[in-house]
Amino acid sequence: DQQVKQNSPSLSVQEGRISILNCDYTNSMFDYFLWYKKYPAEGPTFLISISSIKDKNEDGRFTVFLNKSAKHLSLHIVPSQPGDSAVYFCAASKISTDSWGKLQFGAGTQVVVTP
Amino acid sequence: EAGVTQFPSHSVIEKGQTVTLRCDPISGHDNLYWYRRVMGKEIKFLLHFVKESKQDESGMPNNRFLAERTGGTYSTLKVQPAELEDSGVYFCASSQHLGQGRTGELFFGEGSRLTVL
């Protein structure tokens, strides 16, 4: 049973425009959410996170929004740049345990930023 | 500072053979995790070490998989005997141990790609 879902396997966006990536989760016990970025032949790298006590977290061009009632989060990238072309993974965890690093990942969304 | 390193980067073996993957975490990181990504699907948790102890091995698929972390430094993940469905990319990640209720950053290695023929 997949507890974190990314229903869009791919997204194509023009350079300079906004990229919006979506993620849904089913487990209401999750209280910590993260986005990772992955280039080919590399490991995932941390991008941005948000705890369940917030509904928005911003870091430069990246903003994550959390809607707990809908069990939905999204990542906005503004403006999109060619270097943003990568696979983006949504992940969820529970801070309340000692295993916050036990992440449940979505299947990823391949983002392609075109000139 | 060296990141998380994994070896080998790619291993091709036949069904029934044994493979051992190695992970060297970032120095000083007590938490070590193994994850696996199969066929371009989601990255799945396998297990979690705190120092040399297995904190959580609920994600290990079956008893053909054996993970060790002797001395609390590097870790190995052995698959014996390997089956076709074990093919995938095995990621190791490490983090500092900050205690319950506190989060840190999880650093991933580049992964070890396993192909079972």
Side-chain angles (χ1 to χ4, degrees):
Chain A
D1 62 332
Q2 199 171 340
Q3 300 183 59
V4 177
K5 296 181 182 179
Q6 294 175 255
N7 292 319
S8 297
S10 64
L11 172 69
S12 183
V13 64
Q14 271 192 319
E15 182 178 1
R17 306 293 289 266
I18 183 171
S19 294
I20 300 177
L21 291 79
N22 293 300
C23 177
D24 296 290
Y25 61 97
T26 58
N27 190 339
S28 57
M29 298 298 290
F30 289 141
D31 54 12
Y32 185 54
F33 304 90
L34 311 91
W35 285 92
Y36 278 82
K37 177 179 180 179
K38 185 185 177 306
Y39 292 118
E42 293 186 9
T45 55
F46 171 76
L47 195 56
I48 192 169
S49 65
I50 188 168
S51 83
S52 60
I53 61 174
K54 295 185 176 182
D55 54 20
K56 176 182 174 181
N57 188 27
E58 196 171 350
D59 184 2
R61 296 185 298 114
F62 303 92
T63 303
V64 56
F65 296 92
L66 175 62
N67 182 335
K68 282 180 295 187
S69 60
K71 294 191 180 69
H72 177 84
L73 63 155
S74 62
L75 174 69
H76 292 206
I77 307 173
V78 184
S80 300
Q81 299 174 354
D84 296 332
S85 296
V87 177
Y88 289 78
F89 290 96
C90 171
S93 173
K94 303 172 192 176
I95 300 178
S96 52
T97 70
D98 213 7
S99 292
W100 63 266
K102 179 181 178 181
L103 304 178
Q104 297 282 340
F105 281 91
T109 296
Q110 172 73 61
V111 172
V112 176
V113 180
T114 57
Chain B
E1 180 183 330
V4 177
T5 56
Q6 294 187 245
F7 181 83
S9 58
H10 191 189
S11 181
V12 182
I13 61 172
E14 292 191 349
K15 176 183 172 180
Q17 290 186 318
T18 297
V19 65
T20 300
L21 310 177
R22 172 172 170 144
C23 168
D24 286 78
I26 292 173
S27 177
H29 282 191
D30 287 338
N31 285 321
L32 187 148
Y33 299 83
W34 282 99
Y35 285 85
R36 176 174 75 169
R37 189 183 190 205
V38 173
M39 291 283 289
K41 295 186 178 178
E42 72 270 22
I43 301 170
K44 283 194 170 182
F45 167 84
L46 296 178
L47 89 159
H48 170 208
F49 282 101
V50 178
K51 295 185 180 179
E52 69 276 5
S53 299
K54 290 177 186 175
Q55 176 86 357
D56 183 343
E57 53 184 329
S58 60
M60 294 289 262
N62 50 61
N63 59 10
R64 295 186 293 103
F65 289 75
L66 175 64
E68 294 180 325
R69 192 183 182 195
T70 307
T73 55
Y74 70 91
S75 173
T76 57
L77 179 64
K78 185 192 306 189
V79 185
Q80 178 183 31
E83 298 290 343
L84 299 179
E85 64 266 23
D86 300 333
S87 295
V89 181
Y90 290 78
F91 292 104
C92 176
S94 74
S95 72
Q96 291 182 304
H97 190 71
L98 301 175
Q100 191 166 337
R102 296 181 62 196
T103 59
E105 185 172 340
L106 202 56
F107 295 87
F108 281 82
E110 294 184 347
S112 291
R113 178 175 295 277
L114 174 63
T115 302
V116 183
L117 302 175

